[in-house]
Amino acid sequence: MKALIIITWLSLFVNFLAFSQQPPQKEIDLESFIERLFPVQDEDLDYEAIYEVLLQLYLNPMDVNRANAEVLGASYLLDPSQINELISYRTRFGPLVSLYELQAVPGFDLKTIDQILPFLTLGTGTSNQTQSFWRRVATEEQAYLLLRNRRTWETRKGFTPADTSSTGKISNRYLGDPNEFYLRFRIQHARDFSLGFTLDKDPGEQFTWDGKTARYGFNFFSFHFNKYYVGKWKTIAVGDFQAQFGQGLVFGAGYSLGKGAETVPTVRRSSVGILPYTAALEFGFFRGAGLTYQSGKWQSSLIASYAPRDGRAASTLDTLSTEDLTISSFNQSGLHRTASELSTKNQFRELSIGGNIQFSSASGKLQAGTNYLFTRFNHPWVKKPTLYNQFDFAGISNSVGSFYMNYNWKNFFLFGESAISQSGGKGNILGFVSSLSKQVDFSFLWRKYDTNFHSFYANSFSESTRPANEQGVYIGIQVKPISKWKINAYYDFFRFPWLRYRLYAPSKGYEWLARVSYQPNRNLTAFFQIREEQKDRNLSDSGEPALPYQIRPLNKINGLLSLEYQVSKAFFFRSRILFSRVIYNNQKSTGFMILQDAQYSINKFRLTGRVALFDTEDYDTRLYAFENNVLWTFSIPAFAGQGMRYYLLAQYKINSKITTYFRFSRTAYTDRESISSGLQEIDGPRQTETTLLIRYMLHR
């Protein structure tokens, strides 16, 4: 699986007014921030796009004097009552003259202020630089070059010499070497500009120059240039970009937190607009131009994209016996290691034209808008028909439009979006987030997605990977009975009116989570979390004469007990116990994992390590554990079977310009003599990986 990229610290830039007081820059405990927002996983989720959009959001701090309720809610750090109190305070007393003034806003305690400060600025929302644009680019402090290499040292089957079968056919092998290379260059200043490029080569891909397959050294190349606040033009984007408006039914930008330990604010999406695309994923982005024009209370955006897409082609014969090319499937893995995978690279083109019109009231409490996106492929997309995909998109073009509205009323933040696609399928979301009291926050969300609702860039709240063939109700609550204790819980009921993959009958299910946290002081944190999920699944074909498909509920429980202690500024310890239990077709299986983390920091050096033992009976009881990694790399690997996992991560700041990171990790299994299968198979019970990263700051 490709590296999951994330920023491990966020250095925010602020504009100073002559009369302002600004607290010093503050680093974020991003590790606890991420773990608070994201759930215990039960499937391989693609985090790269999510974290990259988080990067864009938090590298552009919010102007505390201009941000409306929608923008303030995007941080997931303020509840509706706090947002409402801040807006009311500005209306009554005027703009804040110092961020320290937040202490005077009702509902803002010191803990809240400490969490939100890194995301705020007192800027005017426009660039007031006196230097020319190119001079600002040439001297911007937030300018860096980053190079990362990662490699698995055991030999996978795909890198062994090819052999010949009895039929004379030569076996398939990877075309390139086992090294992964990642290169990023970026210069950016909040609310002024952002420009850069990203290059990526996955293990097994060739490092070659071949224009026919769009490989110029690295296998993937992404670039962007964004300029902000040019007159009334709020955003001008050229190159690769994403967009998010409303609740994600049309423009989702890959930013979907979903269900997690933060049970209240994460159910809603924020209209953050057009953002640079800087991830290494080779799908899910626009390539072209995006514009946002601001005029008073109205804002309009236009998107035009013509992007290459990977996919497999199939030939068909029409009534005149001429051969036509159709798209049989899209390749979203981004991998081009074998001749077969390489044959899918940039085989098709996708034209996207769309836009958004949005109205925001002067008070910032009301926001309403409409979205539209037209998509056309250069060849028809015709999937191989199966029982469950009869309502999936088929054809050469699609259009989808929506209307959305958010309203902040007292301590309630109400939101909703309704969309319809070219097929006539509809998607609807309606919900609210509320502070019932200082101790209790509550959220509610209802969604209904028709089986024939088609929206390629949607990323709204859903149980499935895309919003289609689903209905559900989510309820979340957070209770702070006293200052040291916090209780989070949610319950989500969902049903699927039509068939799904591995599920050939209409079905339903549920999911709930409860988490109790205790923090007696800043140095000690403990919590217990338990989560249960139940979904139906097809029974395996026994071969006996019976109905061809029978379904049974699969019930899964995951638990986590965590204790974290900051012994001193130099030492940090974390101990965790994870467990899982699955019941399916009257068969019970379990999983268990125990881990110990330690971190030591002194001056320019930091060392982080882990030792973990795991024991699961099957893949369904696999366990996921967050791991520290090198800068802007994030990993939550899955562990199944029996074995040990350990890693050591070293960070050293050579000088103000150069910082290096090195990580060694190994998984040693005791229940097998080989790892994985196919071309990824390793002949042996161990898998060892190293990662080296160097960051060079250009102007420090």
Side-chain angles (χ1 to χ4, degrees):
M1 186 176 181
K2 297 184 69 178
L4 301 174
I5 301 177
I6 188 174
I7 181 169
T8 60
W9 62 276
L10 302 176
S11 178
L12 304 181
F13 295 89
V14 295
N15 295 324
F16 285 83
L17 301 177
F19 55 88
S20 306
Q21 285 188 336
Q22 186 78 27
Q25 277 188 346
K26 178 178 174 59
E27 290 190 12
I28 305 164
D29 183 1
L30 192 65
E31 183 176 321
S32 63
F33 182 69
I34 292 299
E35 289 199 317
R36 179 174 63 86
L37 291 180
F38 291 89
V40 176
Q41 296 76 38
D42 63 350
E43 57 183 317
D44 288 330
L45 300 177
D46 192 357
Y47 290 91
E48 186 171 349
I50 299 174
Y51 296 138
E52 286 293 334
V53 176
L54 279 170
L55 168 63
Q56 307 311 322
L57 290 176
Y58 301 125
L59 281 180
N60 291 274
M62 300 175 289
D63 183 351
V64 70
N65 286 322
R66 295 168 61 94
N68 58 22
E70 180 74 2
V71 175
L72 291 169
S75 71
Y76 298 108
L77 292 171
L78 297 176
D79 60 46
S81 67
Q82 291 170 327
I83 294 173
N84 189 58
E85 291 287 4
L86 177 57
I87 293 174
S88 299
Y89 184 90
R90 293 188 324 211
T91 302
R92 183 177 179 184
F93 298 105
L96 280 70
V97 297
S98 167
L99 290 182
Y100 293 114
E101 192 179 345
L102 287 170
Q103 299 175 73
V105 178
F108 277 67
D109 54 29
L110 291 178
K111 184 177 180 180
T112 299
I113 296 173
D114 186 63
Q115 288 180 332
I116 198 70
L117 273 181
F119 304 94
L120 295 179
T121 180
L122 284 170
T124 60
T126 61
S127 174
N128 59 358
Q129 303 277 355
T130 57
Q131 296 177 325
S132 68
F133 171 70
W134 291 112
R135 179 62 179 170
R136 299 199 302 275
V137 172
T139 58
E140 172 56 45
E141 186 176 279
Q142 183 63 12
Y144 62 84
L145 183 68
L146 184 150
L147 176 63
R148 185 185 73 210
N149 168 259
R150 185 166 60 180
R151 174 166 180 163
T152 297
W153 288 96
E154 287 79 12
T155 301
R156 298 188 185 275
K157 185 177 180 180
F159 299 108
T160 60
D163 49 29
T164 305
S165 67
S166 58
T167 61
K169 184 178 179 180
I170 300 176
S171 60
N172 201 20
R173 290 295 186 267
Y174 293 147
L175 301 172
D177 63 71
N179 288 293
E180 175 192 304
F181 288 105
Y182 174 88
L183 177 67
R184 172 188 281 183
F185 171 76
R186 190 172 185 189
I187 301 176
Q188 85 118 40
H189 189 90
R191 300 176 309 283
D192 189 3
F193 65 87
S194 176
L195 61 94
F197 60 83
T198 301
L199 299 169
D200 179 62
K201 183 197 92 71
D202 293 309
E205 295 178 340
Q206 284 180 303
F207 197 88
T208 184
W209 194 278
D210 183 7
K212 293 182 179 180
T213 54
R215 292 181 297 168
Y216 304 100
F218 290 84
N219 180 75
F220 176 69
F221 172 64
S222 176
F223 63 95
H224 79 272
F225 173 75
N226 281 37
K227 186 72 180 72
Y228 304 102
Y229 298 103
V230 181
K232 291 188 176 182
W233 293 98
K234 182 179 178 181
T235 305
I236 301 174
V238 178
D240 296 344
F241 61 94
Q242 290 183 302
Q244 179 167 316
F245 296 99
Q247 296 305 308
L249 286 178
V250 178
F251 297 110
Y255 183 52
S256 174
L257 295 180
K259 294 173 284 190
E262 192 63 32
T263 54
V264 174
T266 56
V267 298
R268 57 173 296 275
R269 309 288 181 260
S270 296
S271 294
V272 294
I274 295 174
L275 301 168
Y277 181 76
T278 57
L281 293 175
E282 300 181 29
F283 68 96
F285 60 89
F286 298 110
R287 175 166 290 180
L291 305 169
T292 298
Y293 184 81
Q294 182 85 45
S295 179
K297 301 175 184 178
W298 291 89
Q299 172 184 293
S300 57
S301 300
L302 179 65
I303 290 170
S305 167
Y306 191 62
R309 293 290 180 256
D310 293 354
R312 295 200 178 277
S315 299
T316 60
L317 295 176
D318 62 17
T319 54
L320 299 178
S321 298
T322 59
E323 190 175 56
D324 290 328
L325 195 66
T326 63
I327 305 170
S328 60
S329 64
F330 281 102
N331 175 19
Q332 295 187 338
S333 70
L335 298 173
H336 305 98
R337 303 164 298 183
T338 65
S340 176
E341 291 177 347
L342 187 59
S343 68
T344 69
K345 185 172 176 60
N346 294 355
Q347 290 298 300
F348 307 104
R349 293 294 184 272
E350 177 190 285
L351 172 67
S352 299
I353 298 175
N356 165 269
I357 299 176
Q358 182 173 284
F359 169 82
S360 299
S361 65
S363 65
K365 294 185 176 183
L366 172 66
Q367 185 182 80
T370 182
N371 295 311
Y372 177 77
L373 180 63
F374 171 80
T375 305
R376 182 180 177 86
F377 303 103
N378 61 338
H379 295 288
W381 185 3
V382 181
K383 291 183 177 181
K384 180 181 178 180
T386 63
L387 286 173
Y388 64 89
N389 72 0
Q390 297 181 32
F391 295 97
D392 287 2
F393 171 80
I396 199 169
S397 66
N398 181 60
S399 60
V400 58
S402 74
F403 172 80
Y404 64 89
M405 185 170 67
N406 308 316
Y407 185 66
N408 190 26
W409 176 70
K410 294 185 178 180
N411 291 339
F412 285 82
F413 194 100
L414 299 95
F415 58 89
E417 183 173 12
S418 181
I420 184 170
S421 62
Q422 181 175 292
S423 62
K426 300 179 180 64
N428 294 282
I429 293 177
L430 187 64
F432 68 85
V433 177
S434 173
S435 291
L436 303 180
S437 69
K438 291 183 179 180
Q439 290 77 32
V440 181
D441 297 330
F442 184 81
S443 63
F444 172 86
L445 183 138
W446 168 85
R447 75 267 192 194
K448 182 180 180 182
Y449 310 128
D450 291 348
T451 53
N452 61 335
F453 177 63
H454 306 141
S455 185
F456 302 138
Y457 289 88
N459 195 17
S460 56
F461 188 100
S462 64
E463 175 66 22
S464 305
T465 55
R466 60 189 181 91
N469 183 34
E470 181 177 328
Q471 301 171 17
V473 174
Y474 172 97
I475 298 173
I477 191 170
Q478 176 177 280
V479 182
K480 301 176 183 177
I482 56 177
S483 60
K484 298 177 182 180
W485 290 87
K486 184 171 69 171
I487 302 170
N488 294 83
Y490 72 73
Y491 182 85
D492 186 38
F493 173 80
F494 43 83
R495 58 186 300 267
F496 309 106
W498 185 244
L499 318 184
R500 304 174 70 222
Y501 176 66
R502 297 182 69 181
L503 186 54
Y504 290 161
S507 62
K508 61 184 178 181
Y510 66 86
E511 180 180 339
W512 63 264
L513 175 145
R515 177 169 176 158
V516 180
S517 305
Y518 175 63
Q519 187 174 10
N521 54 60
R522 298 185 63 178
N523 297 327
L524 179 63
T525 302
F527 69 84
F528 175 72
Q529 177 176 293
I530 187 167
R531 172 175 172 267
E532 180 182 10
E533 180 186 46
Q534 181 166 301
K535 292 181 181 177
D536 292 332
R537 181 190 290 182
N538 286 343
L539 280 177
S540 300
D541 188 0
S542 64
E544 298 178 0
L547 294 174
Y549 297 104
Q550 299 184 54
I551 64 173
R552 294 288 187 275
L554 187 148
N555 183 276
K556 180 184 296 185
I557 289 181
N558 290 93
L560 170 61
L561 178 63
S562 175
L563 177 66
E564 303 176 3
Y565 184 52
Q566 187 76 45
V567 181
S568 65
K569 290 184 178 180
F571 287 99
F572 170 80
F573 293 97
R574 176 193 292 118
S575 303
R576 285 187 172 175
I577 299 173
L578 299 86
F579 64 88
S580 62
R581 188 227 63 191
V582 171
I583 297 177
Y584 177 59
N585 196 28
N586 297 321
Q587 299 293 319
K588 179 181 177 181
S589 56
T590 59
F592 179 82
M593 185 175 191
I594 184 170
L595 63 88
Q596 179 64 55
D597 292 342
Q599 186 177 94
Y600 175 73
S601 303
I602 182 171
N603 298 328
K604 299 180 179 180
F605 182 76
R606 175 183 292 177
L607 191 65
T608 305
R610 165 176 294 178
V611 176
L613 300 173
F614 59 91
D615 184 351
T616 76
E617 295 185 35
D618 52 34
Y619 187 69
D620 282 333
T621 53
R622 64 194 179 276
L623 293 163
Y624 292 80
F626 166 86
E627 294 187 350
N628 296 94
N629 214 316
V630 301
L631 183 67
W632 295 341
T633 306
F634 190 80
S635 56
I636 310 181
F639 298 98
Q642 293 82 45
M644 173 184 289
R645 169 72 170 180
Y646 52 93
Y647 68 81
L648 198 62
L649 170 65
Q651 172 187 341
Y652 182 69
K653 187 175 183 180
I654 298 176
N655 53 43
S656 61
K657 289 181 177 290
I658 302 175
T659 305
T660 60
Y661 301 78
F662 179 77
R663 185 177 191 259
F664 173 90
S665 63
R666 171 172 285 180
T667 305
Y669 293 92
T670 59
D671 64 336
R672 67 196 68 180
E673 293 301 323
S674 64
I675 301 172
S676 194
S677 60
L679 296 183
Q680 286 290 94
E681 181 179 351
I682 294 173
D683 185 15
R686 292 185 298 272
Q687 181 174 333
T688 307
E689 184 180 275
T690 59
T691 307
L692 173 66
L693 183 143
I694 300 174
R695 185 191 63 177
Y696 179 76
M697 305 297 294
L698 277 66
H699 302 143
R700 290 187 181 179

